[in-house]
Amino acid sequence: MTTEDNEQSPFTKPGFIIAAVVVFLIVVLGVIIGFVNANRNDPEPAPSSSSPTNTSAAPTTEPSAVAGGASVCGLGGEVLSGSLTTAPEAKWEYLGTTAYPTSSKFGPAEKSDEKYRYCFQHSPEGAVFAAGNALVQGSSPEVSGPWIEYFLSTETPNRSDLLTEVSSGTSTETRMGISGFKILEYDGETARIDIAAKAVGNGNSVYASAVYDLVWEDGDWKLLPQNPTDPLRIAQIPDVSGYIAWGE
């Protein structure tokens, strides 16, 4: 590559890399940093702990465990196998400047007093909607704290350390939007969803991928990372080829 090419390519400019890659991968998905730090500082997994007790004055609007794996909010349409070849229909709403997918059928069907959204259908579509919403809610200073407390599986190693380490999302001039998804695995009990997103900063853009390892727990999809040192396997990607296009 020539010097002139280097000067013209936005991917060779340090400012762009910091704004559009680091900000996207660390700030927008900043909920992961506490998990990584906690596991690096304490290589021996600590016993799992339960989610903090809900102290809301209006418990009927808050999520609660449902015996037998039934939907936490009674959302029907359970599907225990299969995949998707086309994008499910969604109504796109906004959390700050970022659009997130909603559906009366697939979820999110409930909103907590802390303003995070939850309760997704027990189906491939529900898993995709859960991952898409997770990406967006994890980037919001308004809801990221209580959201990760709800969304992170109780089986996560060092879960209590993560909840202590994780701070609320940070505002940034970099904007992000969902661009597509892949269902890598789905068996009803677990799902592995790859979400592609586009970050825009300083007039330039970059694509990135985040893989959500989900488990059906207490009547909803929860995050159960398979690799404590790389929970979402975040990677920059050149484009969204191979993904099912999905977004506003």
Side-chain angles (χ1 to χ4, degrees):
M1 180 177 288
T2 66
T3 301
E4 182 179 356
D5 290 333
N6 280 324
E7 291 175 351
Q8 292 177 349
S9 173
F11 292 98
T12 64
K13 298 177 181 179
F16 171 72
I17 294 173
I18 292 173
V21 180
V22 177
V23 172
F24 175 73
L25 300 184
I26 296 180
V27 177
V28 175
L29 300 175
V31 71
I32 301 307
I33 302 305
F35 190 97
V36 174
N37 290 339
N39 282 275
R40 286 176 177 170
N41 293 335
D42 182 7
E44 293 298 324
S48 300
S49 61
S50 300
S51 301
T53 302
N54 178 12
T55 58
S56 169
T60 57
T61 64
E62 293 297 310
S64 60
V66 177
S71 170
V72 71
C73 68
L75 197 61
E78 182 179 72
V79 179
L80 300 181
S81 63
S83 188
L84 298 175
T85 57
T86 59
E89 184 175 349
K91 177 182 178 183
W92 294 85
E93 299 183 10
Y94 279 85
L95 184 58
T97 61
T98 307
Y100 64 91
T102 70
S103 167
S104 59
K105 182 177 181 180
F106 306 124
E110 295 288 344
K111 183 178 180 179
S112 74
D113 287 347
E114 291 87 357
K115 300 182 180 179
Y116 66 83
R117 293 160 178 80
Y118 68 98
C119 189
F120 297 90
Q121 188 183 66
H122 194 181
S123 67
E125 292 91 342
V128 169
F129 272 78
N133 275 263
L135 181 66
V136 177
Q137 295 196 81
S139 71
S140 169
E142 183 180 13
V143 302
S144 61
W147 165 81
I148 188 60
E149 189 172 313
Y150 171 77
F151 185 59
L152 190 64
S153 169
T154 58
E155 299 302 316
T156 302
N158 286 355
R159 184 179 187 278
S160 59
D161 291 336
L162 171 59
L163 294 177
T164 300
E165 293 285 342
V166 170
S167 60
S168 296
T170 303
S171 298
T172 173
E173 295 181 358
T174 298
R175 295 194 177 188
M176 181 266 293
I178 296 171
S179 297
F181 71 89
K182 296 178 184 177
I183 297 181
L184 304 180
E185 294 182 16
Y186 183 84
D187 63 9
E189 293 297 321
T190 62
R192 183 166 295 153
I193 310 297
D194 185 348
I195 296 289
K198 181 180 181 180
V200 179
N202 297 331
N204 299 298
S205 61
V206 65
Y207 288 100
S209 159
V211 178
Y212 286 81
D213 287 297
L214 305 178
V215 60
W216 185 255
E217 179 181 291
D218 293 340
D220 206 355
W221 290 110
K222 304 293 180 70
L223 177 66
L224 181 58
Q226 300 301 299
N227 184 348
T229 63
D230 190 13
L232 292 187
R233 283 162 282 175
I234 302 167
Q236 184 179 343
I237 54 177
D239 52 45
V240 292
S241 299
Y243 286 83
I244 296 174
W246 200 42
E248 188 190 28

